Amino acid sequence: MKQALVIGHDHVAGLEHLGTDLERRGFLISAFTVVPEDRFTRPDVVVTYPDPLAWDLVVTVGAPWPRSAIDGWARREVEFLARRHEHGRPTLGLCFGGQLLGEALGVATTPLPARRVGWHPVDPVVPEIDAGPWFQWHAEQLTAPAGAEVLARSPDGVEAFCSGRSVALQFHPEMTPRLLRRWLTLPGGHGLDDPDSLEADTRRHADGAARAARSLLDLLG
């Protein structure tokens, strides 16, 4: 059976329906949590990442902290992702995970004028990516590395790119109502003016987003 590693940066991370889709494709999923629950407000933990080449697939997901609060382990994850890329191992980065993947390939993110939270469409370039809407929660935008294929765009910039067998998405194809509820319980507050509307939108888009997410895994070959 193929082995997939999911890197969750906080204790509420999860793949939801994407995990089910991976299991349907014959993957046994293992989870690696970077910051345990009792360190959420002090996320600068010392982390030893597993062997990056021991997995048939790695998926790295989002994170709720500013980069300045987690720079130590974020740099180590960049090194982990760079090694996988150098060896041509399939890797999928979602939101912050996609930004780290871009950094591993030599580019930085672009700051946005305001945080983007909610369900937004994208302009896809390839058939594997639906126009959405897709769930977004970020304050910085992906940049495509030199030589990468841009897979989707939006008015804010690059929404997805592929370089070799490394795929980065700025949006969250894993989002479900249950996952959003977990996010909204994180310590420190979410800073949203109307979380009820966001939850209602997530319930409304949930089924369509789950169907659209199934083809995304085809991007990994």
Side-chain angles (χ1 to χ4, degrees), residues 181-206:
R181 285 193 295 272
R182 294 207 301 266
W183 286 16
L184 294 178
T185 65
L186 288 173
H190 44 68
L192 298 178
D193 294 330
D194 192 356
D196 291 341
S197 290
L198 185 61
E199 288 195 75
D201 286 345
T202 301
R203 289 192 297 271
R204 181 162 55 89
H205 292 302

Side-chain angles (χ1 to χ4, degrees), residues 9 67 73-74 77-78 81 95-104:
H9 300 108
R67 176 60 186 269
W73 61 254
E77 187 166 327
V78 166
L81 297 172
C95 196
F96 176 74
Q99 293 171 358
L100 289 184
L101 189 54
E103 188 174 337

Side-chain angles (χ1 to χ4, degrees), residues 126-178:
V126 295
E128 291 87 353
I129 298 181
D130 190 272
W134 297 101
F135 188 83
Q136 309 260 5
W137 193 326
H138 58 100
E140 297 186 339
Q141 193 76 24
L142 278 178
T143 302
E149 178 186 3
V150 174
L151 306 177
R153 298 184 181 275
S154 73
D156 285 325
V158 174
E159 292 289 341
F161 71 75
C162 176
S163 179
R165 303 195 74 183
S166 298
V167 176
L169 308 178
Q170 184 57 79
F171 49 88
H172 286 278
E174 80 278 22
M175 181 50 65
T176 64
R178 179 173 63 177

Side-chain angles (χ1 to χ4, degrees), residues 88-112:
R89 300 297 179 86
T91 306
L92 175 62
L94 309 180
C95 196
F96 176 74
Q99 293 171 358
L100 289 184
L101 189 54
E103 188 174 337
L105 274 60
V107 294
T109 56
T110 301
L112 295 176

Side-chain angles (χ1 to χ4, degrees), residues 2-6 15 18-20 22-23 27-31:
K2 295 178 289 187
Q3 303 287 324
L5 179 69
V6 178
L15 279 190
L18 276 184
T20 302
L22 284 174
E23 290 170 348
F27 282 94
L28 179 65
I29 299 173
S30 299

